[in-house]
Amino acid sequence: MVKPTLKRIFAIVGSSLAPVAAILYLILGIQHLIAIDNDVKTNFYLIITGFLLFGLSFCLILFGAKVLFSFLNKENDEEPFTALVLSFTSLLFMINLFYICFWGGVAANWVILIFSLGSALTLLIHVLGIKTAWYTDVVGVAIGMITAITAACAFSGLMLAASIIVSIVCFLIMAIFALCLIKDEPEKTEENPKE
């Protein structure tokens, strides 16, 4: 009884936080497009990353809403959470890759690039349904949380706030997966005494 209730609470809180992060990424995307100036190289980078941030915002809202309605309707489907973290790490990988290609990047960009690639590949294995001996969803979300924490440490302002929210969402997803791995005790049946 306690386990399903905790799963519902974690899922509803996590899926409710996802649109908050989405709004912050949407604002960041708009800021990128507003910052366009006369430099062609900068403009190209700002347009690409602006649209990638819009895509990230859309994915967070879409998959967050899917999980929220699933748990409100008591269907208890947490799989869209995997797609949420996959889209976050994939788009963060692309944004950092473009930054490194255009400006060379710093150590933080390389660390985020490696972590986001590891998380995206691990979650992609899970989404494609490839059977492995280890829990790819749990590992992928854990690396996704590390990616979000690294992004929070590396950036400031809206990116810091959005990354903290995404790391909290990843922590809640890991808590749901941990609850799924805990096996329920078999119900004890009372034996009727023989007369």
Side-chain angles (χ1 to χ4, degrees), residues 13-80:
V13 171
S15 56
S16 300
L17 285 173
V20 177
I23 291 167
L24 296 175
Y25 284 120
L26 181 67
I27 294 168
L28 279 166
I30 293 168
Q31 284 180 342
H32 274 70
L33 294 180
I34 289 173
I36 290 174
D37 59 7
N38 294 326
D39 183 20
V40 176
K41 182 181 175 183
T42 305
N43 289 348
F44 190 62
Y45 168 75
L46 290 171
I47 290 168
I48 290 172
T49 53
F51 282 112
L52 286 173
L53 287 166
F54 289 155
L56 177 55
S57 177
F58 174 76
C59 290
L60 288 172
I61 290 174
L62 175 69
F63 296 121
K66 279 181 124 178
V67 173
L68 180 63
F69 289 124
S70 168
F71 275 84
L72 288 177
N73 295 330
K74 297 186 177 177
E75 295 166 4
N76 299 338
D77 181 22
E78 66 271 351
E79 273 304 308

Side-chain angles (χ1 to χ4, degrees), residues 9-19 64 81 84 168-169 172-173:
I9 291 168
F10 292 156
I12 290 169
V13 171
S15 56
S16 300
L17 285 173
F81 265 144
L84 185 148
I168 293 169
V169 172
L172 293 170
I173 296 167

Side-chain angles (χ1 to χ4, degrees), residues 1-9 71 76 179 184:
M1 183 65 184
V2 175
K3 195 169 86 168
T5 306
L6 283 173
K7 279 177 67 176
R8 281 193 82 208
I9 291 168
F71 275 84
N76 299 338
L179 287 171
D184 295 320

